[in-house]
Amino acid sequence: MTLFARLKDAAGSDWTDYAEHEFVRRLGAGTLPEAAFRRYLVQDYLFLIQFARANALGVYKSRTLPDMRAAQASLSAILDTELRLHERICARWGLDPQALDREPEARETIAYTRFVLDCGAAGDLLALQVALSPCVVGYAEIGRALAPRGIDAIAPDHPYREWIADYAGAEYGAVAEAARGRLDALALRFMPEARFDELAASFAAACRMERDFWQMGLDAAGD
Amino acid sequence: MTLFARLKDAAGSDWTDYAEHEFVRRLGAGTLPEAAFRRYLVQDYLFLIQFARANALGVYKSRTLPDMRAAQASLSAILDTELRLHERICARWGLDPQALDREPEARETIAYTRFVLDCGAAGDLLALQVALSPCVVGYAEIGRALAPRGIDAIAPDHPYREWIADYAGAEYGAVAEAARGRLDALALRFMPEARFDELAASFAAACRMERDFWQMGLDAAGD
Amino acid sequence: MTLFARLKDAAGSDWTDYAEHEFVRRLGAGTLPEAAFRRYLVQDYLFLIQFARANALGVYKSRTLPDMRAAQASLSAILDTELRLHERICARWGLDPQALDREPEARETIAYTRFVLDCGAAGDLLALQVALSPCVVGYAEIGRALAPRGIDAIAPDHPYREWIADYAGAEYGAVAEAARGRLDALALRFMPEARFDELAASFAAACRMERDFWQMGLDAAGD
Amino acid sequence: MTLFARLKDAAGSDWTDYAEHEFVRRLGAGTLPEAAFRRYLVQDYLFLIQFARANALGVYKSRTLPDMRAAQASLSAILDTELRLHERICARWGLDPQALDREPEARETIAYTRFVLDCGAAGDLLALQVALSPCVVGYAEIGRALAPRGIDAIAPDHPYREWIADYAGAEYGAVAEAARGRLDALALRFMPEARFDELAASFAAACRMERDFWQMGLDAAGD
């Protein structure tokens, strides 16, 4: 059993409240109000900037070149790929890329990102990766759950088809798989069994903040 | 004009929404539901633990013995005095000190404390003190505003008299005055005028998170 | 077997080159040139300022009140007691306390202190305590070795009697014993056996920098 | 006058003792013993790993995407280009790339790298860049000084021609020029004039540790 699977089990309803949130269900069903998705997109852009900082912290905290290169790959993936992808998607949703940087961070964005950054700054690489994992690995699991028969089974005019395709796809799946493996490798070096409960508490708290993040999107639709 | 006064001015309604929040008004009028105050007290206890960490960060970030000793004094004030005071007040409000540590942090508690810790970890001493100041200095201003004619003018049976007396009192007033002076001294060393806007944005964000913290208390009363 | 004992064993001659350095032997024999001791004293004062920062980092990195209070006690011991003691000893050795702050840090002082601070900033509490331990625990072991039959067996006019008495004494012995216990407690939470080698390498490096620190003292005597 | 020029002026002989060190002169004259260069190369490899961590810290400490991308570019330059270049040069000098990672860091390597990392972890982006600049900008100035009439004027069989060509070249010159510009831009945001002395002291200390680094190379030649 992977560490990620153990953390999910221990989180119980904190995990399912996040992974099966109404925002997710309606996104999958194509009934999510556009205003909710738009709010989510803008905040997710600001979120990614902080996540890039968290991955830079991972490079700094590393002691070996392989650890450094693994964290740097995540950092580059965000700064060079994901943020530009986001700017493109945002543009298609009528969100001026220029305007994104001026948007204030929502409290839900601040709460989760600063929580992760503090886990990383005060703790070790494992504490950092555990706090990141509901997002990094969770999105792949959520994406796959929304496309159980593959992305081709989703109607071409589904309004959120592109988002689902990204996170259900093989490329992101490989990112998540690497993150699962990294958690297990770090646990061998830094987690005696006595430490599990502390990490599980941090994981559950991160799941609750991810749930709040979806809710922030829904709240913007005012229904 | 002190830096704190400039920051307040620049924050505008972000400051007044915090300093004159309904929670504050009803606390002053003695009409705040007990459930709201109790919720606030518990979370404020968890908040202080993180604020102690922020002050420890201030010692670590210092380069001179006077800076170190100033930050250490704040750290000791929290660990040796305020937390024990809190345990006493909580006990009087029927909150088992043992239970405090088991209570999960509210999202509003996490948002503000981790925001401050991240400002401090990623920035310099000034960035840290600015993010702390809506709390450290703000509470003194709020306390005084609630006791404009002094604490003796407040009825002995006012349910929140003790809280008001603490923050309106001369002892806490001196703490706030020292913090104001420290901000000005740090600004001389670390703030060219071009930096003001960045610090003002951080201060305003901190005020919004303090406002959310009061609101969390009110929400617990369910009215 | 305590973790400290295991680390010493693994360090081998890196440990003995430090603990039985010529500076130590001559200090014990009373034949250490005064210039060597004076150089050591001044740099040890600057060293302690950085060690206070390292202990503040320990408070910041803590997640529980007991961990925070343990680190705060070490911080206070340095800022409130040791540094003032040092100023007193320095004064008796003709070193103007005012002048101490103006003295530049020797490269040996920088090397060890910044190494420890980096272990702590990038790693966890255990990484920090391991890097501190050659100093914190080592000085007690060195002190005792210099006074095998107790401090009373040392001639009253021994030039370094006071230094030996401090570190061979019961009070400092209790500090070292607490530090040994803290290492063991942290290892239970954060050290799977697979992590031992990494910590042992860090401990050995710290011992080599402590040895360099003694040598810096000797070199000042120019003999 | 650029901030870098002011820092050099203020450093006085600390700067010239580094930039015109005997190691540099003999490297330029082609009379540097091979053992000295080899020792330098190995330690410079270990040095770069820590400098990559310092640049990752720069990404983490950034607050804006342009700041993050500037620091990430430096990080990538080290991890993706310089380290691999180093492995290639080392191989040509008979240094097995595999063996480099097993080599212990010299005290001179630890002193400078951990000093820089601590400046960055405890201070702001400007403190970090100032501590890095004797290396990043200094090497370009040293390279140019060794090739006053261009690299083509240096004999093809000069044993250190490749090293000089790298650091005197246009590509590295552009890196240094960007770093000079970045220092000036950061100073506008973070350096009131009152802060200059503190930064100058840090710069001078860094120069002294760079000088020690050359000396470590010379010492290996035993002449």
Side-chain angles (χ1 to χ4, degrees):
Chain A
M1 196 173 184
T2 65
L3 176 56
F4 187 77
R6 289 186 66 195
L7 291 167
K8 266 197 318 187
D9 271 10
S13 64
D14 283 329
W15 167 259
T16 48
D17 287 352
Y18 154 51
E20 301 166 15
H21 191 275
E22 186 185 349
F23 183 101
V24 174
R25 283 192 296 102
R26 293 172 73 175
L27 185 147
T31 59
L32 183 71
E34 288 198 7
F37 192 67
R38 213 171 263 124
R39 171 70 166 163
Y40 160 79
L41 269 188
V42 171
Q43 290 298 318
D44 202 40
Y45 176 83
L46 301 174
F47 181 101
L48 278 174
I49 293 175
Q50 302 302 321
F51 258 45
R53 292 182 55 224
N55 281 289
L57 194 56
V59 180
Y60 161 67
K61 301 221 126 192
S62 297
R63 288 287 167 197
T64 66
L65 276 175
D67 279 346
M68 292 172 78
R69 291 205 157 106
Q72 187 213 13
S74 305
L75 171 61
S76 295
I78 296 176
L79 286 181
D80 302 333
T81 310
E82 286 199 63
L83 278 172
R84 299 197 198 282
L85 200 83
H86 246 72
E87 286 168 15
R88 193 170 49 79
I89 300 187
C90 284
R92 208 160 44 238
W93 280 81
L95 297 160
D96 174 13
Q98 296 302 96
L100 293 175
D101 287 321
R102 287 195 301 273
E103 192 74 20
E105 291 178 276
R107 74 196 67 169
E108 291 84 357
T109 310
I110 293 176
Y112 184 28
T113 56
R114 301 321 192 272
F115 174 81
V116 168
L117 283 160
D118 181 54
C119 284
D124 61 3
L125 272 183
L126 178 57
L128 176 62
Q129 296 299 330
V130 164
L132 285 164
S133 66
C135 175
V136 177
V137 186
Y139 266 47
E141 304 207 349
I142 288 168
R144 297 230 166 156
L146 294 184
R149 286 166 300 147
I151 194 66
D152 293 336
I154 292 180
D157 62 345
H158 187 296
Y160 306 112
R161 193 179 197 278
E162 183 178 20
W163 190 96
I164 297 169
D166 274 356
Y167 291 109
E171 195 181 345
Y172 195 77
V175 167
E177 188 53 29
R180 276 191 209 91
R182 199 158 151 64
L183 279 177
D184 287 329
L186 288 168
L188 286 177
R189 286 156 63 192
F190 299 113
M191 190 186 87
E193 192 52 32
R195 191 179 171 190
F196 178 75
D197 286 353
E198 174 204 312
L199 293 173
S202 172
F203 183 88
C207 287
R208 290 194 296 273
M209 286 181 272
E210 283 278 24
R211 178 203 58 202
D212 292 348
F213 199 79
W214 295 134
Q215 189 61 44
M216 166 203 68
L218 270 196
D219 292 346
D223 67 341
Chain B
M1 194 173 186
T2 64
L3 175 56
F4 187 77
R6 288 186 67 195
L7 291 167
K8 266 198 317 189
D9 271 10
S13 63
D14 283 328
W15 167 259
T16 48
D17 287 351
Y18 154 50
E20 302 166 16
H21 191 275
E22 186 186 347
F23 183 101
V24 174
R25 283 192 296 102
R26 293 173 73 176
L27 185 147
T31 60
L32 183 71
E34 288 198 7
F37 192 67
R38 211 171 265 124
R39 171 71 167 163
Y40 160 79
L41 269 189
V42 171
Q43 290 297 318
D44 203 39
Y45 176 84
L46 301 174
F47 182 102
L48 278 174
I49 293 175
Q50 302 302 321
F51 257 45
R53 292 181 56 223
N55 281 289
L57 193 57
V59 180
Y60 160 67
K61 300 221 127 191
S62 297
R63 288 286 167 199
T64 66
L65 275 175
D67 278 347
M68 289 171 79
R69 290 204 157 108
Q72 188 213 13
S74 304
L75 171 61
S76 296
I78 295 176
L79 285 181
D80 302 334
T81 310
E82 285 199 65
L83 277 173
R84 299 197 199 281
L85 200 81
H86 245 71
E87 286 167 16
R88 193 171 48 79
I89 300 187
C90 284
R92 206 159 46 236
W93 279 80
L95 298 160
D96 175 13
Q98 296 302 96
L100 293 175
D101 287 321
R102 287 194 302 272
E103 192 74 20
E105 291 179 278
R107 73 196 68 171
E108 292 84 358
T109 310
I110 293 176
Y112 184 27
T113 55
R114 301 321 192 272
F115 175 80
V116 168
L117 284 160
D118 181 55
C119 284
D124 62 3
L125 271 183
L126 179 57
L128 176 63
Q129 296 299 329
V130 164
L132 285 165
S133 66
C135 175
V136 177
V137 186
Y139 267 46
E141 304 207 349
I142 288 168
R144 298 232 166 156
L146 293 183
R149 285 165 300 146
I151 193 66
D152 295 336
I154 292 180
D157 62 345
H158 188 295
Y160 306 113
R161 193 179 197 278
E162 183 178 19
W163 191 95
I164 297 169
D166 273 355
Y167 291 109
E171 194 180 346
Y172 195 78
V175 167
E177 188 55 29
R180 275 191 210 92
R182 197 158 152 65
L183 279 177
D184 287 330
L186 288 168
L188 286 176
R189 287 156 63 192
F190 299 113
M191 190 187 87
E193 192 52 32
R195 191 180 172 188
F196 177 76
D197 286 353
E198 175 203 312
L199 293 173
S202 172
F203 182 89
C207 288
R208 290 194 296 273
M209 286 180 272
E210 283 279 24
R211 178 203 58 202
D212 291 348
F213 199 79
W214 295 134
Q215 189 61 45
M216 167 203 69
L218 270 196
D219 291 347
D223 67 340
Chain C
M1 195 174 187
T2 65
L3 176 56
F4 187 77
R6 290 186 66 194
L7 292 167
K8 267 198 317 187
D9 272 9
S13 64
D14 284 328
W15 167 259
T16 48
D17 287 351
Y18 154 51
E20 301 165 16
H21 191 274
E22 187 187 346
F23 183 101
V24 174
R25 281 193 296 102
R26 295 173 72 177
L27 185 146
T31 59
L32 183 72
E34 288 199 6
F37 192 67
R38 213 172 263 124
R39 171 71 166 161
Y40 160 80
L41 269 188
V42 171
Q43 290 297 320
D44 204 39
Y45 176 84
L46 301 174
F47 181 101
L48 279 174
I49 293 174
Q50 302 302 322
F51 258 45
R53 291 182 57 222
N55 281 289
L57 194 56
V59 180
Y60 159 67
K61 301 220 126 193
S62 298
R63 288 285 168 199
T64 66
L65 276 175
D67 279 345
M68 291 172 77
R69 290 205 157 106
Q72 187 213 13
S74 305
L75 171 62
S76 295
I78 296 176
L79 286 181
D80 302 333
T81 310
E82 286 199 63
L83 278 173
R84 300 197 197 283
L85 200 81
H86 246 71
E87 286 168 15
R88 193 170 49 78
I89 300 186
C90 285
R92 205 158 49 234
W93 278 81
L95 297 161
D96 175 13
Q98 297 301 97
L100 293 174
D101 286 323
R102 286 194 302 272
E103 192 73 21
E105 291 177 278
R107 73 197 69 170
E108 292 84 358
T109 310
I110 293 176
Y112 185 27
T113 56
R114 300 322 191 271
F115 174 81
V116 168
L117 283 160
D118 181 54
C119 284
D124 62 3
L125 272 183
L126 178 58
L128 175 62
Q129 295 299 330
V130 165
L132 286 165
S133 66
C135 175
V136 177
V137 185
Y139 266 47
E141 304 207 350
I142 288 168
R144 298 232 166 155
L146 293 183
R149 285 165 301 146
I151 195 65
D152 294 336
I154 293 181
D157 62 346
H158 188 295
Y160 306 113
R161 193 180 197 277
E162 182 178 21
W163 190 95
I164 297 169
D166 273 356
Y167 291 108
E171 194 180 347
Y172 194 78
V175 167
E177 188 54 28
R180 276 191 210 91
R182 197 157 152 65
L183 279 177
D184 288 329
L186 288 169
L188 286 177
R189 285 157 64 192
F190 299 112
M191 190 185 87
E193 192 52 32
R195 191 180 170 188
F196 178 75
D197 286 352
E198 174 203 313
L199 293 173
S202 172
F203 182 88
C207 288
R208 292 194 295 273
M209 287 181 271
E210 282 279 24
R211 179 204 58 203
D212 291 347
F213 199 80
W214 295 135
Q215 190 58 45
M216 167 202 69
L218 270 195
D219 291 346
D223 66 343
Chain D
M1 195 172 186
T2 64
L3 176 56
F4 187 77
R6 289 186 66 195
L7 291 167
K8 267 198 316 188
D9 272 9
S13 64
D14 283 329
W15 167 258
T16 48
D17 287 352
Y18 154 51
E20 301 166 14
H21 190 275
E22 187 187 347
F23 183 101
V24 174
R25 282 192 298 100
R26 295 173 73 176
L27 184 145
T31 60
L32 183 71
E34 288 199 7
F37 191 67
R38 213 172 262 125
R39 170 72 166 161
Y40 160 80
L41 269 188
V42 171
Q43 290 297 319
D44 204 39
Y45 175 84
L46 301 174
F47 181 101
L48 278 174
I49 293 174
Q50 303 302 321
F51 258 45
R53 291 182 56 222
N55 281 289
L57 194 55
V59 180
Y60 160 67
K61 302 220 125 192
S62 297
R63 288 287 168 198
T64 66
L65 276 175
D67 278 347
M68 291 171 78
R69 291 205 157 107
Q72 187 214 13
S74 305
L75 170 61
S76 295
I78 296 176
L79 286 182
D80 301 334
T81 310
E82 285 200 64
L83 278 173
R84 299 196 198 282
L85 200 81
H86 246 71
E87 286 168 16
R88 193 171 48 79
I89 300 187
C90 285
R92 207 161 43 237
W93 279 80
L95 298 160
D96 174 13
Q98 296 302 96
L100 293 174
D101 287 322
R102 287 195 302 272
E103 193 72 20
E105 292 178 277
R107 73 196 68 170
E108 292 85 356
T109 310
I110 293 176
Y112 185 28
T113 56
R114 301 322 192 269
F115 174 81
V116 168
L117 284 161
D118 181 54
C119 284
D124 62 3
L125 272 183
L126 178 58
L128 175 63
Q129 296 298 329
V130 165
L132 285 165
S133 66
C135 175
V136 177
V137 185
Y139 265 48
E141 304 207 349
I142 288 168
R144 298 230 166 157
L146 294 183
R149 286 166 301 145
I151 194 66
D152 293 336
I154 292 181
D157 62 345
H158 188 296
Y160 306 112
R161 193 179 198 278
E162 183 178 20
W163 190 95
I164 297 169
D166 274 356
Y167 291 109
E171 194 181 346
Y172 195 78
V175 167
E177 188 55 28
R180 276 191 209 91
R182 197 157 151 66
L183 279 177
D184 288 329
L186 288 169
L188 287 177
R189 285 156 64 192
F190 299 113
M191 190 187 87
E193 193 51 33
R195 191 180 171 188
F196 177 75
D197 286 352
E198 173 204 312
L199 293 173
S202 172
F203 183 88
C207 288
R208 291 194 296 272
M209 286 181 271
E210 283 278 25
R211 179 203 58 202
D212 291 347
F213 198 80
W214 295 135
Q215 190 60 45
M216 166 203 68
L218 271 195
D219 291 347
D223 67 343

